[in-house]
């Protein structure tokens, strides 16, 4: 109970108005006329905060409150948009030591406070003065005749220390030649703001088309709210100098709220990146995740592929059995063109669904895509086939010549048995990465040489049946 009383007393101090230094002009969000936020992919954002502030001619200390708690102070730039001539900055300080019951007590170490005690029987209050000796792990006070640890009662503080702020504040010493209301713009880079693209696709019953919706997910853990902000997003890999960054505010996770109404986003090229602009102002509250619509496309032609991919290690020695019931990967791909598409796609995760026989959409897989220009192919691996498997073995291996790994010549044969438990025929693309200088000597199905070290076969497997691929290859190292 004693501890609770002290916490309550400190809480009362915390609820008190923030201290404003003498001669300091304070600007809050009430002065804000416009804010623009440009978000990048790498926990980075550019904030441009425009406010109408009343200044008198001469030197000033301007306390610009409600900046991001993750601001990079060295990037801050304050400009006078209305009266730029003769306006200049002398010094700026970022005060991120925030007012809390504990920080207030810490600042009073070595200083005097008043200890207020209440008689539980009579309700009468007594007041004593004491000096704070320590606040580390508990409160130690020195009274005129004694020292007490965790004393009962409430603590009363004379004032809030000048360098203790109730919210992150950028304090700027400046000079302006003119008096009156002036429009100032503060721009800075900050962490704690980020975005990513998320896509939701639904396959058609025949797996030959899909409907695609893209969402931009915004996360704000910067310590302040951006009201009615002009929002822009930069997609691309912007180079940044790596340096140690001090985290002023601990990040935490918050539940995702409902999606915002779907606006449209205008896209344009910017340097070697792409810029997306929301067509209306939006509020990004502190500790909030929200989503806005990026794109929508329906009946997009899609190609489905079953692929069995091999490895190059078994072309170097005798291995015999390579594997039984090997998994066959399931892929879908489509072209980024056509109605609703044909725009640069920011990197993100594509989640794919398909309706079952009852009409309920079921999740069938997801994959991550990189930044994808228009007219490029989008390829997604959704998982492994359940009903299509493969048995693979090396049926022959001969060393024809060579005394070192740089002049070996091998001749080897392989057998791949593809099995299909479905009630319809499927085609499996078999991909083999063959190392060295190779020559196909014989094969049961014709291969295609897709790259210098890649041979592929397309093998049709009948319904509830199997098909066998045999081939012999000579490899020179």
């Amino acid at each position: 109970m004693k501890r609770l009383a002290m916490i309550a007393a400190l809480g009362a101090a915390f609820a008190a108005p923030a201290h404003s230094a003498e001669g300091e002009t304070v600007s809050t969000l009430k002065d804000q006329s416009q804010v623009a936020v440009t978000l990048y992919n790498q926990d980075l954002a550019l904030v441009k905060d425009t406010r109408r502030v009343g200044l008198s001619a001469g030197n000033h200390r301007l306390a610009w409150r409600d900046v991001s708690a993750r601001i990079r102070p060295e990037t801050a730039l304050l400009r006078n948009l209305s009266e730029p001539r003769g306006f200049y900055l002398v010094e700026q300080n970022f005060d991120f030591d925030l007012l809390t019951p504990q920080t207030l007590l810490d600042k009073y170490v070595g200083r005097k406070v008043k200890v207020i005690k209440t008689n539980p029987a009579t309700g009468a209050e007594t007041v004593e003065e004491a000096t704070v000796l320590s606040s580390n792990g508990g409160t130690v006070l020195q009274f005129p005749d004694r020292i007490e640890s965790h004393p009962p009662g409430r603590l009363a503080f004379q004032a809030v220390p000048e360098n203790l702020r109730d919210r992150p504040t950028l304090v700027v010493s400046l000079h302006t030649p003119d008096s009156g209301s002036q429009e100032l713009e503060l721009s800075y880079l900050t962490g704690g703001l980020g975005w990513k693209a998320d896509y939701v696709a639904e396959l058609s019953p025949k797996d030959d088309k899909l409907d695609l919706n893209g969402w931009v997910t915004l996360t704000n853990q910067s310590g302040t709210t951006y009201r009615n902000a002009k929002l822009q997003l930069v997609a691309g890999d912007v180079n940044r100098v790596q340096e140690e960054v001090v985290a002023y505010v601990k990040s935490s996770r918050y539940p995702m709220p409902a999606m915002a109404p779907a606006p449209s986003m205008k896209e344009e090229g910017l340097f070697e990146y792409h810029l997306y602009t929301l067509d209306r102002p939006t509020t990004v509250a502190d500790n909030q995740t929200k989503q806005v619509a990026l794109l929508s496309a329906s009946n997009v032609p899609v190609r489905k592929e079953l692929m069995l991919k091999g490895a190059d290690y078994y072309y170097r020695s005798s291995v015999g059995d390579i594997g039984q019931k090997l998994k066959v990967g399931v892929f879908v791909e489509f072209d980024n063109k056509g109605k609703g598409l044909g725009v640069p796609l920011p990197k993100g995760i594509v989640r794919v669904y398909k309706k079952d026989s009852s009409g309920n959409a079921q999740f069938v897989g997801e994959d991550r895509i990189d930044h994808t220009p228009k007219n490029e192919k989008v390829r997604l691996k959704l998982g492994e086939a359940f009903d299509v498997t493969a048995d693979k073995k090396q049926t022959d291996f001969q060393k024809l010549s060579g005394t070192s790994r740089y002049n070996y010549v091998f001749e080897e044969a392989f057998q791949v048995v593809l099995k299909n438990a479905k009630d319809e025929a499927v085609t499996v693309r078999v991909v083999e990465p063959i190392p060295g200088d190779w020559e196909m000597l014989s094969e049961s199905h014709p291969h295609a040489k897709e790259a210098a070290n890649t041979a592929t076969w397309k093998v049709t497997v009948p319904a509830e049946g199997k098909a066998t691929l045999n081939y012999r290859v000579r490899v020179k190292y």
Side-chain angles (χ1 to χ4, degrees), residues 249-438:
V249 176
K250 293 181 180 180
S251 62
S252 55
R253 297 185 176 218
Y254 297 88
M256 181 180 296
M259 295 180 181
S264 60
M265 300 197 78
K266 177 183 177 182
E267 181 275 331
E268 62 181 285
L270 174 68
F271 191 56
E272 294 302 318
Y273 317 118
H274 286 275
L275 179 69
Y276 299 82
T277 302
L278 193 63
D279 65 350
R280 59 173 175 83
T282 187
T283 296
V284 186
D286 186 30
N287 294 330
Q288 181 187 62
T289 296
K290 71 185 304 179
Q291 290 185 298
V292 292
L294 176 65
L295 59 87
S296 179
S298 19
N299 294 321
V300 179
V302 66
R303 302 173 293 276
K304 179 181 174 182
E305 180 180 77
L306 301 178
M307 185 178 75
L308 176 68
K309 189 170 184 178
D312 62 0
Y313 74 89
Y314 45 74
Y315 290 92
R316 305 176 188 273
S317 61
S318 177
V319 295
D321 188 30
I322 297 173
Q324 301 290 318
K325 296 182 180 179
L326 298 176
K327 298 292 186 179
V328 176
V330 182
F331 296 80
V332 295
E333 63 181 28
F334 60 91
D335 298 319
N336 182 18
K337 62 182 180 181
K339 186 177 180 181
L341 289 175
V343 296
L345 301 179
K347 64 182 178 181
I349 297 176
V350 183
R351 295 174 175 87
V352 182
Y353 297 80
K354 184 176 178 178
K355 290 181 179 178
D356 59 22
S357 58
S358 301
N360 300 314
Q362 305 292 345
F363 176 68
V364 295
E366 66 183 13
D367 201 1
R368 187 183 302 274
I369 64 171
D370 203 347
H371 298 302
T372 305
K374 64 180 181 180
N375 300 325
E376 287 290 330
K377 182 190 300 182
V378 177
R379 183 174 174 85
L380 309 172
K381 181 177 182 179
L382 299 186
E384 311 287 350
F386 186 93
D387 294 318
V388 182
T389 59
D391 298 338
K392 183 186 291 187
K393 65 182 178 179
Q394 188 184 62
T395 57
D396 190 25
F397 179 83
Q398 301 177 40
K399 177 183 174 183
L400 302 182
S401 63
T403 57
S404 72
R405 61 178 181 172
Y406 299 108
N407 60 5
Y408 284 138
V409 178
F410 300 129
E411 185 174 307
E412 43 206 314
F414 296 89
Q415 183 183 82
V416 182
V417 179
L418 298 168
K419 301 176 181 179
N420 176 22
K422 291 176 174 286
D423 56 5
E424 59 183 6
V426 298
T427 298
V428 179
R429 180 167 167 257
V430 180
V431 179
E432 286 293 322
I434 307 177
D437 181 10
W438 58 275

Side-chain angles (χ1 to χ4, degrees), residues 64-323:
W64 195 287
R65 285 158 47 104
D66 301 293
V67 297
S68 166
R70 298 279 302 280
I71 184 177
R72 295 175 56 182
E74 70 277 12
T75 68
L77 174 63
L78 182 66
R79 297 192 303 153
N80 192 320
L81 302 181
S82 55
E83 301 290 341
R85 181 173 298 180
F87 178 89
Y88 59 86
L89 307 182
V90 178
E91 182 181 289
Q92 65 183 28
N93 301 284
F94 176 47
D95 292 342
F96 56 88
D97 199 1
L98 301 184
L99 175 62
T100 66
Q102 185 60 47
T103 57
L104 182 59
L105 185 61
D106 292 342
K107 295 295 183 182
Y108 265 80
V109 172
R111 300 174 60 180
K112 293 185 180 298
V113 296
K114 291 182 179 180
V115 182
I116 305 171
K117 299 179 182 179
T118 304
N119 188 312
T122 64
E125 291 188 343
T126 58
V127 179
E128 288 185 279
E129 194 171 66
T131 301
V132 181
L133 296 182
S134 175
S135 63
N136 186 17
T139 306
V140 180
L141 299 181
Q142 182 176 20
F143 294 87
D145 58 345
R146 67 193 186 278
I147 294 177
E148 288 192 23
S149 174
H150 301 291
R154 310 190 312 272
L155 299 184
F157 302 85
Q158 183 177 1
V160 176
E162 181 178 338
N163 60 341
L164 199 59
R165 306 277 178 173
D166 65 337
R167 62 192 65 187
T169 302
L170 186 70
V171 181
V172 182
S173 297
L174 57 87
H175 175 84
T176 181
D178 302 310
S179 299
S181 178
Q182 302 181 33
E183 191 173 28
L184 306 181
E185 179 194 75
L186 177 66
S187 61
Y188 56 88
L189 294 175
T190 179
L193 280 162
W195 75 281
K196 64 176 182 176
D198 290 283
Y199 303 89
V200 177
E202 184 174 310
L203 283 169
S204 64
K206 294 184 179 180
D207 299 336
D208 58 350
K209 293 182 180 179
L210 60 77
D211 296 335
L212 181 67
N213 290 282
W215 294 91
V216 171
T217 303
L218 312 172
T219 303
N220 179 14
Q221 293 179 338
S222 68
T224 191
T225 295
Y226 307 90
R227 294 187 177 92
N228 297 319
K230 178 183 178 182
L231 186 66
Q232 294 181 296
L233 314 171
V234 174
D237 299 317
V238 178
N239 188 53
R240 297 176 60 191
V241 175
Q242 297 299 313
E243 59 183 354
E244 184 177 353
V245 178
V246 180
Y248 302 119
V249 176
K250 293 181 180 180
S251 62
S252 55
R253 297 185 176 218
Y254 297 88
M256 181 180 296
M259 295 180 181
S264 60
M265 300 197 78
K266 177 183 177 182
E267 181 275 331
E268 62 181 285
L270 174 68
F271 191 56
E272 294 302 318
Y273 317 118
H274 286 275
L275 179 69
Y276 299 82
T277 302
L278 193 63
D279 65 350
R280 59 173 175 83
T282 187
T283 296
V284 186
D286 186 30
N287 294 330
Q288 181 187 62
T289 296
K290 71 185 304 179
Q291 290 185 298
V292 292
L294 176 65
L295 59 87
S296 179
S298 19
N299 294 321
V300 179
V302 66
R303 302 173 293 276
K304 179 181 174 182
E305 180 180 77
L306 301 178
M307 185 178 75
L308 176 68
K309 189 170 184 178
D312 62 0
Y313 74 89
Y314 45 74
Y315 290 92
R316 305 176 188 273
S317 61
S318 177
V319 295
D321 188 30
I322 297 173

Side-chain angles (χ1 to χ4, degrees), residues 434-446:
I434 307 177
D437 181 10
W438 58 275
E439 177 187 1
M440 195 67 62
L441 302 178
S442 63
E443 56 189 337
S444 60
H445 297 71

